[in-house]
């Protein structure tokens, strides 16, 4: 028996979420220019400041070069050949779920995200985003009782413009990078979360992104604000149909934590990865950044990345407040010709700031899985500490794993520790489990789960089992 | 003890096997019946662990010729997990560490796979904890070991106890214990030995691979086999083991050879 092949077969379960919902959409014509931006802004009835924000970003974007430093090679994207706005035709946002097109509700139900009163998940509020539009948010009233705002960003723009104006673009500036600039110019929808002072959000918040159209760029924008002494745990999930073209997904996520606030942001990413020959799949170029603006604030990123043809993503923390804490827990599973270049940046600015990085990369097939991390300690960040641990697991002989830790320390009184390892699933481990009656497939998935356990433990309770099934996403082909 | 009327559990005939193109076993014959305790002794590198791994189905070892039957059924084509489920147990000379996998969950999944084969109901976490608490007593193991990762950071002796714990849970028909006594202190040896004794029953058999008489003082073997250069060169009773302890393999090897020449 050739064990390597068999392990690869197990990791290569077909994608389960590749269906397309047949629904009439309204799309604006392909191409990008100022008129298109005005059109988007107009369709969304946005205030002046936001249109200006978009136009400024567009001007910046024109001046920028698409990055190629991430060591990823891919077919270049023709930005004039993309559609920048698509929405289900029958009205955009409904007052109640009964009015939402049943096809859309069905779609989400098929994805394991039931939205209706009877079936919806208990203790998790969900914002369901279909192509560029948020179609429903559950438990809004219950959250409102606590002063928590959870809605689509479009809704927030019209209802709470002052919050948007105050915070949007303050963590990821419009000229931060090529894709962030593009997103700032054309972002369509996404989620908005506001947790007022002294409130611990009573339930998990979750956004579920579904790409449906093939030629539409996806530009979600997420903004989460946690005021003083508040806390929230937020989860993002994503899937897309199987198209043989590549779809661009360039989201921006901004988190702001004020004094003693805590934000936990978890992602389970299962975009379509393309087929085994590398045709199709999502280009996932995402800018995620959190700013620990207040003293003793804490931002924790955990991510489980299994999909996308190419992932380029570095959720980061700016540790501005003294004694603030940044954490990054990541599992990235790549297969076939997938490429993932992911990692984090921990920017220590405040005194006695702490950061922790735990990254687990699993590469199978001919995939390429890289960890790229930056730990930067500024002269002011006296007494700061970082601990990084990057482990890679290789399946088969053709997969590659790389680790690029960059360290910039301008503060001698700081402490940086880095550990890295690479392993393979050993035949002896498999045999040991099998000799205890555990079948091969389960043995493989147990060993991979074990390898990832440090990160699993960081995922929110409600998603713990889902996360275990994550492997699942690829190993057993089923998702809860 | 004459048990020749009881059912044959394991029969190995003229087994030749290799690993990585290197031939290791040169015609092993062995018959194990219900209720018997066998000891296999022999110099380092003689092929004892190889034989045990082949019985359990390790994929790296290739059987060139010969047969292994379990209750009359050829098992050479069975996956290792199937062999385990029908009642073949291998206590490893070097138990493997599996980081991040909870020992408790591992034991539960493993136990359920065997129960499933026996037509018994699956145990949920709660029911399993009850069962495992009882089994822990046999090996005098601290329940804290259930919370840790499989064998990870266990001391040599703790790993061996964990093997016996698995044997207790899986309730095998043929248990092969590969040097389960090596690296144990006196107390641990007694615990392991009494565990083996408690777990053996008239319907099952045990094969002890060992280098030392001290285990055999606690668990009396019905047969003692000596393996050298990939073959069982001599079979006797417990006195043979004592003989080895006194004279070493060299002498016995010579005597055997002389006899062969004399023939
Ligand atoms: N995977 C392997 N690759 C190469 N050689 C091997 C492998 N496994 C076993 N061998 C060789 O086969 C021979 C028998 O090894 P085995 O482990 O069966 O001996 P043993 O009788 O159990 O010895 P000990 O008493 O030291 O445990 C040794 O020479 C060993 O080096
Ligand atoms: Mg051995």
């Amino acid at each position: 028996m050739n064990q390597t092949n068999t392990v690869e077969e197990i990791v290569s379960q077909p994608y389960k979420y590749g269906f397309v919902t047949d629904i009439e959409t309204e799309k604006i014509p392909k191409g990008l220019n100022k008129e298109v931006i005005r059109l988007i802004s107009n369709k969304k009835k946005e205030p002046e400041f936001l249109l200006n924000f978009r136009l400024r970003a567009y001007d910046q974007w024109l001046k920028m070069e698409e990055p190629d430093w991430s060591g990823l090679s891919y077919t270049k994207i023709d930005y004039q050949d993309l559609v920048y706005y698509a929405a289900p035709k029958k009205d955009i946002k409904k007052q109640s779920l009964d009015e939402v097109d049943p096809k859309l509700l069905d779609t989400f139900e098929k994805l394991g995200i039931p939205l209706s009163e009877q079936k919806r998940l208990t203790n998790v509020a969900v914002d369901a985003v279909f192509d560029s539009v948020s179609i429903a948010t559950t438990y809004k009233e219950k959250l409102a009782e606590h002063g928590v705002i959870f809605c689509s960003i479009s809704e927030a723009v019209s209802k709470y413009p002052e919050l948007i104006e105050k915070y949007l673009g303050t963590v990821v500036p419009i000229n931060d990078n090529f894709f962030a600039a593009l997103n700032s110019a054309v972002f369509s929808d996404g989620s908005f979360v506001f947790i007022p002072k002294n409130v611990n959000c009573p339930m998990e918040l979750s956004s579920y992104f579904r790409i449906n159209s093939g030629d539409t760029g996806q530009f979600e924008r997420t903004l989460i604000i946690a005021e003083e002494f508040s806390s929230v745990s937020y989860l993002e999930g994503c899937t897309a149909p199987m198209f043989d073209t590549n779809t661009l997904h360039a989201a921006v996520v901004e988190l702001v934590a004020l004094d003693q606030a805590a934000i936990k942001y978890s992602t389970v990413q299962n975009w379509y990865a393309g087929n085994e020959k590398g045709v199709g799949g999502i280009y996932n170029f995402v800018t995620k950044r959190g700013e620990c603006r207040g003293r003793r604030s804490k931002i924790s990123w955990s991510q489980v990345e299994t999909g996308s043809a190419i992932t380029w993503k570095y959720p980061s923390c700016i540790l501005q407040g003294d004694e603030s804490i940044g954490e990054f827990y990541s599992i990235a599973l790549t297969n076939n010709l997938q490429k993932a270049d992911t990692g984090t940046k921990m920017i220590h600015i405040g005194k006695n700031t702490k950061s922790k990085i735990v990254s687990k990369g699993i590469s199978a097939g001919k995939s390429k899985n890289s960890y790229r991390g930056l730990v930067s300690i500024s002269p002011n960040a006296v007494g700061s500490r970082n601990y990084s641990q990057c482990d890679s697991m290789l399946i088969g002989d053709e997969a590659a794993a790389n680790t690029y830790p960059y360290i910039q320390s301008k503060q001698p009184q700081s402490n940086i520790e880095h550990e890295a390892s690479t392993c393979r699933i050993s035949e002896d481990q498999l045999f040991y489990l099998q000799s205890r009656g555990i079948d091969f497939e389960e043995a493989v998935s147990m060993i991979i789960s074990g390898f990832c356990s440090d990160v699993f433990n960081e995922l929110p309770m409600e998603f713990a089992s889902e996360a275990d099934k994550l492997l699942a996403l690829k190993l057993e082909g089923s998702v809860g | 003890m004459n048990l020749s009327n009881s059912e044959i559990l394991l029969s190995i005939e003229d087994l030749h096997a290799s690993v990585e193109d290197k031939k290791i076993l040169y015609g092993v014959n062995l018959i194990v019946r219900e209720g018997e305790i066998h000891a296999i002794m022999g110099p380092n590198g003689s092929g004892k662990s190889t034989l045990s791994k082949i019985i359990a189905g390790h994929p790296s070892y290739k059987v060139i010729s010969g047969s292994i039957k379990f209750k009359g059924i050829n098992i050479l084509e069975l996956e290792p997990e199937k062999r385990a489920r029908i009642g073949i147990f291998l206590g490893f000379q070097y138990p493997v560490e599996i980081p991040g996998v909870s020992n408790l969950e591992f034991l539960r999944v493993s136990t359920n796979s065997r129960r499933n084969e026996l037509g018994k109901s699956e145990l949920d976490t709660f029911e399993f904890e009850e069962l495992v608490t009882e089994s822990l007593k046999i090996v005098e193991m601290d329940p804290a070991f259930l919370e840790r990762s499989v064998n990870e950071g266990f001391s040599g002796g703790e790993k061996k106890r964990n093997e016996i714990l698995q044997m207790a849970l899986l309730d095998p028909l043929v248990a092969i214990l590969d040097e389960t006594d090596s690296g144990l202190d006196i107390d641990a040896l007694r615990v392991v030995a009494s565990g083996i004794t408690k777990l053996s029953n008239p319907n099952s058999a045990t094969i002890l691979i060992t280098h030392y008489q001290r285990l055999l003082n606690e668990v009396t073997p019905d047969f003692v086999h000596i393996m050298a250069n990939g073959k069982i060169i001599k079979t006797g009773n417990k006195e043979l083991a004592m003989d080895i302890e006194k004279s070493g393999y060299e002498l016995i090897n010579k005597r055997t050879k002389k006899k062969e020449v004399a023939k």
Side-chain angles (χ1 to χ4, degrees), chain B residues 121-139:
Chain B
S121 66
E122 240 178 55
L123 302 176
D124 62 25
T125 316
F126 193 72
E127 294 163 329
F128 181 69
E129 272 185 51
E130 265 174 42
L131 177 72
V132 80
T133 309
E134 283 312 302
S135 308
L136 278 171
K137 288 180 193 154
I138 299 175
V139 284

Side-chain angles (χ1 to χ4, degrees), chain B residues 28-44:
Chain B
V28 175
N29 291 292
L30 182 66
I31 302 250
V32 178
R33 291 169 197 270
E34 281 184 339
E36 293 178 346
I37 295 178
H38 291 242
I40 300 179
M41 306 181 81
N44 295 132

